[in-house]
Amino acid sequence: MSAFLFGSSAQPLFGYHHAPRGNGAGAVVICSSWGSEYTYAHHALRVLAKRLAEQGRHVLRFDYSGQGDSWGDTTDADVDRWITDTATAMEELRAISGHAVVDVVGLRIGALAAAACAGTPGVGRVVLWDPVLDGREWMRQLSPAFSGKELDQRSGSREFGNCMVSATLLRQFLAIGPERYSRSGAESLLLLQSQSSGSTRAAGFEAIAASMEHRVVDDALPWLEDSSIWCGLVPARSLATIVDWLGRA
Amino acid sequence: MRESVVEFGPTRGLVGVLTAPPPGTPAHDVAVLIVNSGIIHRAGINRLHVRLARMLAASGYPCFRYDLPGIGDSEAAGAGDAIEQSNVTATMAAMHALRASDVAERFVIVGLCSGANHGFHAACTDPRIVGGVLIDPTVMFSTFRHRVNQFLRLIRRGVRPIVWWRLVTGRYRVVEEIRHGSTRVTDPGAPTLLDPSRDRVAWLASRNAFQLLTDRNVRLLLIITQHNRGVYSYQRQIFDVYRDVGKLEATLRVIRRPAADHTFSREADRRFLDQAILGWLNSWTSARLAHAAPREAATPGAA
């Protein structure tokens, strides 16, 4: 099956494996973003996965805990757990593909999960696609009415980003800054940033990998809703950049 | 609650997730199909479909959320297939797969926006569908009372102090508004209001469709949010549109939730939606033998 549940039977994650054309030149895990960004970018990431598979790679897309078709309510969403989920997805793809080393592509907050796995055994090249660098600013993008008062509640879940979330998640989001991308040891890194995202800085990322390439692309932002289709657009240039970079030996 | 991923259809290119009631839960005699809205994948906008499926399954209704061809993780249909027909074929394949694995033989289909349109069309096509939840369908017919309501609404908006302030200060250019109003690009997501007289063919087709469904005793729940207030302004509007459809009032229930937006962004509205659908289902479906162990979905797949 291409679509399947993996990980713990009590807390399964949803995954979709794209089988490679040919013998399988490598393996890539794709880490999505959260909330509306996850929803709107879903199609673009599927297109990316298909193109990487056509290039000869095993590709695994998956849903984090508390998101999509994976276990858990939205109140179970937790950034630290997502990092563990990403590691689980990588382990799953190693088992499926037979490749000991897996590359990873992370979009938006998915880039944080990808960066957290960088340098760990079995993780190869890393693509950080428009990583979230300022948690507070990102939260305002997700929920313009966000003021921080949502954290004043002593306990229980609260509304954010059109769903119920825990205070823990909000605090984790608020704490996101460039220092979250400081883990080193990746084989090589592509930092891909969209011109219109408002964030095209590269400083600080060099420490993640032995070699880094920084590309700024003028392209659509797939995690935003385009009013003509009520979903995210497929950013052709961004996808081509990623596919081309991973395609290099 | 137990979930399993199902690949189904002639080439197993369609993907869905089956949510089964927990062991020991009295299962109902219908399964709920939840279909895509627009091109959003099966989890639904704001994870609405996942939430709804898990809630209904916990109450004894097996639920199947799936992607129509070309949406989410489902492969596209053949190049020569009309979209509407391929969507109906996919829904039929979903029902076949669930029936083959003993999940249910009768189905209720739930859809928001374009999903509501598809649900209605599928219900007209396949007798296995015994109920439908239509949330903010994209087309509605006008009535005299609706036109009066819209006129009064325009008047109420017009007398607001802010409107006069803008007029006086020149921020509201009336002439330009009138000149450009007819050429303004309309919101592609806005529902369409038709007139039974001017759009006679469409009205007759829909009227016949409703008669077909009422003759088959198909239950319908129509849910209207603020998104559709421009095309549906009072509770009985649909009954006035289809006055001569026999038994419509016995089979169709209308719920208006003006506070809710189209995607149920607020938790209070999502809870309302959950309870509205569950309450409606409970009002006319029946539970199977109490505590009968639900059967495992054994490799539901090719149609």
Side-chain angles (χ1 to χ4, degrees):
Chain A
M1 283 179 65
S2 300
F4 63 107
L5 295 174
F6 67 98
S8 149
S9 58
Q11 299 178 342
L13 302 176
F14 173 87
Y16 193 103
H17 171 239
H18 296 261
R21 176 188 294 180
N23 294 330
V28 183
V29 163
I30 296 179
C31 303
S32 183
S33 191
W34 179 82
S36 61
E37 294 194 346
Y38 156 80
T39 299
Y40 295 136
H42 188 274
H43 181 62
L45 292 184
R46 177 172 167 83
V47 173
L48 172 63
K50 289 180 115 174
R51 291 190 187 165
L52 289 170
E54 285 165 10
Q55 194 185 57
R57 286 175 161 67
H58 289 269
V59 185
L60 178 62
R61 292 181 292 114
F62 73 102
D63 292 336
Y64 304 122
S65 304
Q67 179 153 280
D69 289 307
S70 288
W71 85 276
D73 296 328
T74 53
T75 49
D76 294 308
D78 182 297
V79 175
D80 292 335
R81 184 178 283 139
W82 296 345
I83 294 171
T84 304
D85 292 343
T86 300
T88 302
M90 290 187 158
E91 198 54 47
E92 184 70 23
L93 189 56
R94 288 188 199 100
I96 292 172
S97 66
H99 286 276
V101 177
V102 169
D103 299 328
V104 60
V105 175
L107 172 68
R108 299 294 279 161
I109 199 171
L112 193 153
C117 294
T120 57
V123 179
R125 295 171 295 173
V126 177
V127 177
L128 304 183
W129 183 3
D130 281 304
V132 173
L133 299 177
D134 182 333
R136 184 175 288 269
E137 178 56 33
W138 181 55
M139 292 171 83
R140 288 206 188 98
Q141 292 170 7
L142 288 171
S143 185
F146 174 70
S147 64
K149 289 182 183 174
E150 292 82 350
L151 285 162
D152 292 344
Q153 265 175 261
R154 288 187 182 276
S155 64
S157 56
R158 64 278 336 265
E159 297 205 48
F160 177 78
N162 298 339
C163 63
M164 299 303 290
V165 301
S166 66
T168 300
L169 186 70
L170 293 186
R171 290 194 190 97
Q172 289 173 331
F173 284 172
L174 272 176
I176 295 174
E179 68 282 356
R180 290 299 304 268
Y181 298 90
S182 60
R183 185 187 184 118
S184 63
E187 181 184 313
S188 63
L189 168 72
L190 170 64
L191 174 61
L192 175 64
Q193 293 173 306
S194 304
Q195 187 76 48
S196 54
S197 70
S199 179
T200 54
R201 53 173 283 187
F205 287 95
E206 300 86 348
I208 297 181
S211 70
M212 184 185 92
E213 183 171 336
H214 181 215
R215 299 282 297 275
V216 177
V217 178
D218 182 11
D219 209 347
L221 306 181
W223 61 86
L224 296 182
E225 181 191 25
D226 184 275
S227 60
S228 64
I229 58 171
W230 280 27
C231 203
L233 294 174
V234 177
R237 294 191 196 96
S238 300
L239 297 195
T241 301
I242 295 171
V243 173
D244 175 67
W245 188 79
L246 285 173
R248 298 179 206 161
Chain B
M1 181 209 74
R2 297 159 303 152
E3 293 196 320
S4 55
V5 179
V6 180
E7 291 180 329
F8 64 102
T11 60
R12 290 188 182 248
L14 303 173
V15 176
V17 175
L18 174 65
T19 309
T25 305
H28 286 265
D29 62 347
V30 295
V32 177
L33 306 172
I34 304 174
V35 73
N36 306 105
S37 309
I39 58 173
I40 302 292
H41 77 295
R42 69 190 167 275
I45 189 74
N46 301 331
R47 217 188 183 203
L48 267 181
H49 299 179
V50 175
R51 175 200 169 98
L52 181 64
R54 292 176 177 176
M55 183 277 296
L56 290 176
S59 300
Y61 295 95
C63 284
F64 189 58
R65 56 189 186 273
Y66 60 104
D67 289 324
L68 293 170
I71 298 176
D73 292 315
S74 285
E75 295 297 332
D81 297 346
I83 291 176
E84 200 170 272
Q85 184 52 50
S86 65
N87 286 347
V88 170
T89 301
T91 294
M92 292 169 70
M95 290 188 285
H96 181 91
L98 297 178
R99 197 176 191 175
S101 53
D102 234 3
V103 172
E105 295 189 355
R106 305 188 314 147
F107 302 89
V108 169
I109 188 161
V110 176
L112 165 69
C113 195
S114 64
N117 298 359
H118 168 68
F120 184 79
H121 189 67
C124 291
T125 306
D126 197 307
R128 289 173 290 185
I129 296 176
V130 297
V133 179
L134 316 175
I135 309 167
D136 281 348
T138 65
V139 178
M140 195 54 65
F141 285 91
S142 181
T143 61
F144 175 74
R145 182 173 165 183
H146 174 72
R147 289 192 290 275
V148 169
N149 288 345
Q150 292 302 96
F151 177 73
L152 291 175
R153 183 166 158 244
L154 199 63
I155 298 292
R156 282 194 293 271
R157 289 179 65 186
V159 300
R160 289 178 303 156
I162 186 70
V163 172
W164 290 101
W165 175 251
R166 284 180 185 157
L167 197 60
V168 165
T169 56
R171 292 179 198 177
Y172 186 64
R173 297 183 170 80
V174 177
V175 173
E176 279 184 24
E177 278 289 317
I178 294 173
R179 185 182 297 157
H180 296 295
S182 61
T183 60
R184 188 179 301 135
V185 175
T186 53
D187 175 5
T192 301
L193 184 67
L194 300 180
D195 182 276
S197 299
R198 274 202 313 270
D199 306 296
R200 187 82 182 155
V201 171
W203 176 82
L204 272 173
S206 65
R207 181 223 167 271
N208 292 340
F210 272 105
Q211 188 65 69
L212 170 77
L213 294 178
T214 55
D215 288 345
R216 277 180 32 210
N217 205 32
V218 173
R219 305 300 184 101
L220 295 174
L221 173 63
L222 177 64
I223 299 177
I224 302 292
T225 72
Q226 63 167 263
H227 177 78
N228 273 32
R229 66 181 174 191
V231 301
Y232 200 104
S233 60
Y234 64 103
Q235 185 75 9
R236 290 194 52 81
Q237 183 169 335
I238 195 168
F239 300 109
D240 287 345
V241 173
Y242 302 111
R243 281 180 200 277
D244 62 341
V245 172
K247 292 195 313 178
L248 187 62
E249 299 212 27
T251 56
L252 169 62
R253 186 187 296 182
V254 176
I255 294 178
R256 292 170 66 222
R257 178 78 172 178
D261 63 21
H262 192 48
T263 58
F264 296 85
S265 301
R266 300 184 315 155
E267 175 66 9
D269 295 320
R270 290 191 290 271
R271 282 195 194 140
F272 178 88
L273 181 67
D274 291 346
Q275 294 309 310
I277 295 175
L278 179 61
W280 172 78
L281 280 168
N282 285 344
S283 73
W284 62 274
T285 62
S286 57
R288 289 177 183 162
L289 290 174
H291 307 297
R295 294 191 180 89
E296 286 288 339
T299 59

